[in-house]
Amino acid sequence: DKLVDLCVNSPNALIICADFVASKQMQDIRMELRGKAVVLMGKNTMIRKGLDMGHALHPDAGLDILRSNIRGNIGFIFA
């Protein structure tokens, strides 16, 4: 799972709130960060499910704490 791999192996991660952000603005952000960081957006249910599966594989990584903070329209930036 891409999310779990990035959570476990990336030194820096940023949780972003994407409420009231236009798709054109998100596209511009992705283009600016291309090659420097990975922007990951997705459905909250899929993100929660991926973090649950990742917590089973890596119980010491703190993915359960990350899962508890998922509310609203969020995304991740990994650098």
Side-chain angles (χ1 to χ4, degrees):
D1 188 37
K2 183 177 181 179
L3 173 63
V4 174
D5 181 52
L6 288 169
C7 285
V8 172
N9 297 321
S10 294
N12 298 316
L14 178 69
I15 301 174
I16 57 170
C17 176
D19 288 339
F20 309 110
V21 179
S23 58
K24 174 66 173 141
Q25 187 176 3
M26 282 303 302
Q27 180 184 5
D28 292 342
I29 292 168
R30 285 181 190 266
M31 287 174 44
E32 287 291 323
L33 293 176
R34 191 170 289 151
K36 302 174 197 164
V38 176
V39 178
L40 186 66
M41 303 291 290
K43 295 269 189 193
N44 284 351
T45 53
M46 294 301 291
I47 291 174
R48 285 189 187 108
K49 186 175 182 178
L51 290 175
D52 281 339
M53 290 173 22
H55 178 64
L57 295 173
H58 307 281
D60 58 338
L63 297 179
D64 55 335
I65 298 168
L66 184 60
R67 185 192 183 282
S68 67
N69 291 314
I70 296 177
R71 289 182 194 88
N73 190 15
I74 62 142
F76 297 94
I77 298 178
F78 297 97

